[in-house]
Amino acid sequence: MIDQMVTERNWAGNYGYQAPRIAHPASMAELQDLVAGTGKVRALGSRHSFNDIADTAGTLVVLDRLDAGISVDPQNMTVTVSGGTRYGTLAAELHRQGFALHNLASLPHISVAGAVATATHGSGDGNGNLATAVAELELVTADGTVVTARRGDADFDGMVVGLGALGIVSRLTLDIEPSFEIAQSVFEGLDWEQVLESFDDVTSAAYSVSLFTDWSGPTVGQAWLKDRTDHTALPAGLQEFFAGTPATQARHPLPGVSGSNCTQQLGVPGPWSDRLAHFRMEFTPSQGDELQSEYLIPREHAVDALRTMRNLSDIVTPLLLVGEIRTIAADQLWLSPNYGRDGIGLHFTWRQDEPAVTAILPLLEAELAPFGARPHWGKLFHGDAAAIAPLYPRFADFTALAGRLDPAGKFRNAFLDRTVFGR
């Protein structure tokens, strides 16, 4: 096992981890012994959270020395993988073997366990978040015992989006399907009023659709359409999409940034593993020195929420690098922001001015509150447990589950105390 003193910051650089120790166990036995013999402990993934969700007053555990152990079961159409493996690594190996995941987040750099635990997602009207692919998970609990939970088990739906509160997720088994190809096209300058009047038509135009905007002006900056070539495809040579015109070169979501580190565009078909994410695995994703927030809103409130955001442009746009609008299908995972409802994600990539961003979050959340907005667990938000609990019908069931699996609170931290347990 490798131990080190913590000098780590998160990917964006806005948060420095306070834990005095980071451990890198090299085997399951080492992981079990570490968890059993340690006071406070948390798993640390790819550090792509923007708050203190992954921190602890004790030991941070990184699973990067565990074998990825990518094992495909073609009969059951599943793949089993170590929780610390990055999605880009998993996607490349699955494609090599002729298989696919149903979706990817915008970044392939994130760890499987971390993304699942926070219900991180891609886009697509019919696509659930990444956690919905979990068929089984393996959890190291407070005394070092390994617990396995499978889809259909009594507490499974509460354990998948677990926020790290239940134990260290060491392995996951995910649903897979035959590999497929994606053709990604970007359209620029969509008319906002046309988008609002025909929002369902916009988001259903491809397998995965993302809209990028700064919320100001009469047009949506970009629409990224990821179209499966084995499904109904966009018409070849489409010259207009809700008054938007095709990009003639690779685009980046952020204005003025080269599209060279983004996945292949211009309608060129290619593997799902190289198209479903926005950014290439081999490059630094997005801008790097940025902050992020996101709120998930029921689909029936989509247009009203979008109009509300446009009315907040004077406040939001000066702090914004870019905003993104995505769609996500409903699920039954207790703490998933899409529990029980199809939804849209309103994503904010902020300039790295945390005091200014933090100052406007209460206003932003108050304006979105009438729509039942649930914050993304891994990003910046203001609400505490008192505000969040009423948004989740199974919230009390989750806290009871955490009490049973971790009665001494070994996996709890300041983030969980503030946003879940209300301390």
Side-chain angles (χ1 to χ4, degrees):
M1 185 185 310
I2 297 175
D3 281 17
Q4 66 188 71
M5 297 300 292
V6 173
T7 56
E8 293 288 333
R9 302 190 72 82
N10 66 343
W11 170 81
N14 71 298
Y15 184 81
Y17 294 98
Q18 301 301 300
R21 178 191 182 207
I22 294 182
H24 300 255
S27 68
M28 277 297 296
E30 284 190 2
L31 174 60
Q32 289 175 262
D33 289 345
L34 186 152
V35 172
T38 303
K40 293 286 189 177
V41 62
R42 298 280 289 176
L44 179 65
S46 57
R47 299 179 294 122
H48 202 269
S49 53
F50 294 80
N51 55 38
D52 54 345
I53 188 172
D55 209 353
T56 180
T59 299
L60 288 173
V61 176
V62 182
L63 303 183
D64 57 350
R65 295 192 66 214
L66 294 185
D67 186 351
I70 300 171
S71 176
V72 171
D73 180 346
Q75 181 174 354
N76 291 310
M77 291 300 286
T78 60
V79 61
T80 301
V81 62
S82 169
T85 303
R86 297 183 182 230
Y87 268 98
T89 302
L90 174 60
E93 177 59 20
L94 281 176
H95 174 66
R96 187 188 70 80
Q97 296 192 40
F99 299 99
L101 299 169
H102 80 286
N103 211 352
L104 293 173
S106 59
L107 307 178
H109 310 72
I110 56 179
S111 68
V112 176
V116 164
T118 54
T120 294
H121 58 89
S123 190
D125 285 2
N127 299 327
N129 63 47
L130 303 185
T132 63
V134 177
E136 179 177 309
L137 61 81
E138 178 184 272
L139 189 72
V140 180
T141 55
D143 63 358
T145 300
V146 176
V147 172
T148 299
R150 298 175 179 85
R151 186 181 289 140
D153 290 351
D155 293 324
F156 178 82
D157 287 346
M159 296 176 70
V160 178
V161 183
L163 310 183
L166 310 177
I168 307 296
V169 176
S170 49
R171 297 188 70 74
L172 302 101
T173 298
L174 309 176
D175 297 331
I176 58 175
E177 59 186 272
S179 191
F180 54 87
E181 289 199 333
I182 290 283
Q184 180 170 224
S185 302
V186 175
F187 290 83
E188 301 177 292
L190 286 68
D191 180 77
W192 253 120
E193 286 307 312
Q194 289 191 38
V195 169
L196 293 172
E197 290 170 5
S198 304
F199 186 70
D200 290 348
D201 293 333
V202 172
T203 63
S204 64
Y207 183 71
S208 171
V209 175
S210 291
L211 303 178
F212 291 98
T213 179
D214 69 0
W215 299 108
S216 69
T219 60
V220 177
Q222 298 176 11
W224 289 34
L225 279 62
K226 302 173 190 282
D227 203 30
R228 282 183 66 148
T229 60
D230 59 344
H231 291 178
T232 302
L234 293 170
L238 184 65
Q239 293 302 304
E240 184 175 290
F241 185 70
F242 296 90
T245 56
T248 57
Q249 61 186 26
R251 295 302 190 197
H252 192 286
L254 301 181
V257 179
S258 168
S260 60
N261 65 346
C262 296
T263 51
Q264 175 69 53
Q265 301 167 21
L266 303 175
V268 178
W272 66 278
S273 54
D274 294 334
R275 301 290 191 280
L276 280 178
H278 292 338
F279 301 100
R280 299 178 190 267
M281 183 73 169
E282 60 268 30
F283 291 99
T284 299
S286 195
Q287 179 157 301
D289 56 341
E290 62 192 45
L291 305 174
Q292 293 183 12
S293 301
E294 187 173 28
Y295 299 94
L296 290 299
I297 291 169
R299 182 65 183 241
E300 62 266 28
H301 298 313
V303 172
D304 288 339
L306 297 178
R307 292 192 186 279
T308 295
M309 285 308 310
R310 296 195 70 207
N311 290 335
L312 292 173
S313 174
D314 288 350
I315 297 170
V316 171
T317 303
L319 289 174
L320 199 63
L321 290 169
V322 75
E324 184 177 4
I325 304 160
R326 290 176 284 182
T327 61
I328 312 97
D331 60 64
Q332 292 301 311
L333 307 175
W334 296 356
L335 288 194
S336 164
N338 285 99
Y339 175 87
R341 66 193 203 189
D342 293 332
I344 66 165
L346 302 181
H347 183 275
F348 304 86
T349 298
W350 306 107
R351 301 180 187 279
Q352 200 173 67
D353 185 348
E354 192 158 359
V357 170
T358 301
I360 71 166
L361 290 180
L363 171 63
L364 183 57
E365 292 175 21
E367 291 292 324
L368 295 176
F371 309 122
R374 297 168 177 168
H376 188 298
W377 293 105
K379 301 181 181 181
L380 296 178
F381 61 92
H382 172 73
D384 59 10
I388 295 171
L391 300 172
Y392 288 91
R394 303 298 298 272
F395 202 87
D397 294 328
F398 179 82
T399 58
L401 175 62
R404 294 196 302 274
L405 288 177
D406 183 25
K410 176 173 285 194
F411 302 106
R412 296 189 189 182
N413 64 357
F415 174 89
L416 292 173
D417 287 342
R418 184 174 69 249
T419 64
V420 177
F421 298 106
R423 295 179 180 176

